[in-house]
Amino acid sequence: MKFTRYSKFKGLDISSLNLGDLMESLSDSLLDSGYDDDYYWTRQRRPQDTSLDALRRALLQALMDQGLLDERQIQELLADNEGKFKGSMLEEMLNQLIERLVEEGYLTLKEERPSQPAPRREQPGMGRPEVSEPLPRNVKFEVTEKGLDFLGYKTLRNLLGSLGKSSVGRHDTPHLSTGVEAAAASKPYEFGDTINLDVNTTLLSAIQREGLTVPLNLEYVDLHVHQCDYQSSCATVVMLDCSHSMILYGEDRFTPAKKVALALAHLIRTQYPGDSLKIVLFHDTAEELPLAKLATTQVGPYHTNTAEGLRLARRVLQSQRKEMKQIVMVTDGKPTACFVEGVGQTFLSVRSGQHGDRTRTGRNAGSTAGPTRRLYKNSMGGDPFVMDATFKEVQACRKAGI
């Protein structure tokens, strides 16, 4: 007679895990900003680790934070493999979880070629036979646009979750337009208006013109349409400060700033159709950043050139054909740098060109290859020269209707 032996289930039911809650727990790891306890002293950015091993560690920590795994269960999963992680049930479980995240479209995997060419091997038969381990695969993970949008949704839900039941509307303006919902007196029809006829006013206009006759002759001038509140689209630029102070003094402030940008992107995409959102990073200089690259962006040993960030944001908004334009700036301190024309001990030569150009020719270097600008820096903040340059850019933005 055949017997079936049942044993206690070890591990987790991967198919039943809520990937949304898991992605929310992974948000700090996926949006890593290079924060490190030694950064205050070294001023060196820590490169983001996007290997599968780093992802497994982050997943394991997220499962423990959610209370789905504890130390005892982890030891049981490693016990069948003599305490080694490689080849254990724990590794297999985490790999299945990664596969599920990839299948759902939150993450994507790609294999990178080694930076150095592999050592040349002898052709079979040309030397002695050997047995060796296969070359390791360099597989990296990236957060997809769906994953970024989901992180933005989670952040937005947490930010607005305590505001009550009122839903977010559109951008209201003091102007009137034609539409389906009547909110004001009707107006004569003009070409291009929404044809939502005010029947009463239309008939009354025809009667006043020709009298009460049958049949009633309607002319073009008799047509009247309802008016509603005019709602406009808006162009938004989010300026993110990525100077070195954003992760100094024992606190990471750049990761929350990235979450705010993702939340705004999700809000605009879902609630304000027709709007546009651009990201501008400002540090020693400024550069426009694609939203897809926001997750892997880290801070650097830079100063805070707010004036250059406003200058680039204004240029970006001027290229948008929107009547409403706005800049949302996220920073942690005062401006500490600006570009000037001249030479000085604290100036850094930067070749003037496209936005975000970081070509540097060194301190006190006089380049004859083209016009150059110098970076004036004062780490203490509140420098009158820097503040004057910043306020000039603020005035330029106001004149541009921003």
Side-chain angles (χ1 to χ4, degrees):
M1 179 179 295
K2 183 178 181 181
F3 292 92
T4 302
R5 182 183 298 274
Y6 294 94
S7 60
K8 183 180 178 181
F9 174 73
K10 297 180 181 179
L12 295 174
D13 184 7
I14 302 300
S15 60
S16 65
L17 289 180
N18 189 328
L19 295 185
D21 295 339
L22 186 62
M23 285 291 294
E24 188 174 9
S25 300
L26 288 173
S27 60
D28 288 341
S29 298
L30 298 178
L31 300 177
D32 178 61
S33 301
Y35 175 75
D36 192 285
D37 293 336
D38 296 331
Y39 184 81
Y40 181 83
W41 306 103
T42 62
R43 294 295 196 274
Q44 298 294 326
R45 287 191 297 177
R46 181 186 62 186
Q48 186 175 9
D49 189 358
T50 57
S51 63
L52 289 184
D53 289 337
L55 181 57
R56 294 188 188 100
R57 290 193 297 268
L59 285 172
L60 183 59
Q61 185 62 45
L63 293 175
M64 294 178 66
D65 293 340
Q66 293 184 7
L68 300 176
L69 277 181
D70 54 28
E71 294 289 344
R72 180 184 58 81
Q73 291 175 309
I74 293 176
Q75 295 299 327
E76 291 179 356
L77 292 173
L78 296 175
D80 295 337
N81 197 39
E82 299 179 353
K84 299 179 181 179
F85 175 76
K86 193 67 175 178
S88 64
M89 294 180 60
L90 180 60
E91 182 189 26
E92 181 181 356
M93 182 189 67
L94 294 177
N95 289 339
Q96 293 176 1
L97 193 54
I98 293 175
E99 291 178 1
R100 209 183 149 204
L101 289 171
V102 173
E103 290 175 356
E104 294 294 332
Y106 293 110
L107 301 177
T108 181
L109 303 180
K110 66 176 184 179
E111 183 174 2
E112 294 184 354
R113 296 182 178 180
S115 57
Q116 297 180 353
R120 185 176 180 180
R121 293 186 174 185
E122 297 181 355
Q123 296 293 333
M126 300 298 293
R128 294 180 299 177
E130 61 177 350
V131 177
S132 61
E133 296 291 334
L135 293 176
R137 300 177 60 189
N138 187 19
V139 181
K140 302 292 185 179
F141 74 91
E142 288 183 354
V143 186
T144 62
E145 293 186 3
K146 176 182 176 180
L148 287 175
D149 186 65
F150 185 80
L151 292 178
Y153 159 72
K154 285 290 188 179
T155 303
L156 183 65
R157 188 191 65 176
N158 294 335
L159 289 174
L160 303 181
S162 60
L163 298 184
K165 297 182 179 180
S166 298
S167 60
V168 181
R170 303 298 194 268
H171 301 293
D172 294 329
T173 69
H175 308 290
L176 294 176
S177 177
T178 57
V180 177
E181 297 181 2
S186 58
K187 62 177 287 290
Y189 172 77
E190 297 178 6
F191 179 77
D193 289 343
T194 302
I195 305 179
N196 183 22
L197 286 179
D198 185 348
V199 179
N200 294 335
T201 306
T202 300
L203 294 178
L204 183 60
S205 175
I207 292 174
Q208 290 176 346
R209 183 175 49 81
E210 294 192 354
L212 185 57
T213 60
V214 179
L216 187 61
N217 184 28
L218 291 177
E219 298 289 345
Y220 183 86
V221 294
D222 298 327
L223 300 178
H224 285 69
V225 292
H226 290 290
Q227 294 187 98
C228 67
D229 293 332
Y230 175 73
Q231 295 176 331
S232 173
S233 59
C234 180
T236 303
V237 168
V238 178
M239 286 177 51
L240 295 182
D241 180 4
C242 65
S243 61
H244 67 275
S245 62
M246 291 292 283
I247 58 173
L248 285 182
Y249 316 118
E251 185 178 357
D252 179 10
R253 289 172 285 274
F254 191 58
T255 300
K258 292 197 289 186
K259 291 183 178 180
V260 169
L262 291 175
L264 280 175
H266 179 82
L267 177 66
I268 288 175
R269 186 186 65 83
T270 56
Q271 299 295 330
Y272 299 106
D275 282 18
S276 63
L277 176 68
K278 302 293 183 181
I279 307 295
V280 168
L281 291 180
F282 65 101
H283 33 87
D284 284 353
T285 177
E287 56 189 299
E288 185 177 351
L289 181 73
L291 187 63
K293 299 294 184 182
L294 183 60
T296 57
T297 303
Q298 296 184 341
V299 300
Y302 305 122
H303 289 74
T304 307
N305 193 343
T306 309
E308 186 67 13
L310 291 170
R311 179 171 175 266
L312 176 56
R314 175 166 54 86
R315 290 188 174 184
V316 170
L317 288 175
Q318 286 176 342
S319 64
Q320 301 290 323
R321 297 182 178 179
K322 308 286 185 183
E323 293 185 2
M324 296 177 61
K325 302 174 183 179
Q326 64 179 356
I327 296 175
V328 179
M329 181 172 65
V330 182
T331 182
D332 70 327
K334 303 175 183 178
T336 59
C338 67
F339 282 118
V340 294
E341 298 288 344
V343 180
Q345 293 296 328
T346 58
F347 286 69
L348 181 64
S349 178
V350 180
R351 185 74 55 81
S352 61
Q354 297 180 351
H355 307 312
D357 190 359
R358 299 186 190 176
T359 305
R360 300 177 179 181
T361 58
R363 296 181 182 273
N364 300 329
S367 175
T368 60
T372 60
R373 293 188 298 168
R374 305 284 180 169
L375 184 65
Y376 175 76
K377 301 178 292 184
N378 186 347
S379 300
M380 297 301 295
D383 187 285
F385 192 83
V386 175
M387 299 305 294
D388 181 65
T390 304
F391 287 133
K392 285 182 179 179
E393 288 299 331
V394 172
Q395 293 175 356
C397 290
R398 289 292 181 90
K399 290 180 180 180
I402 302 172

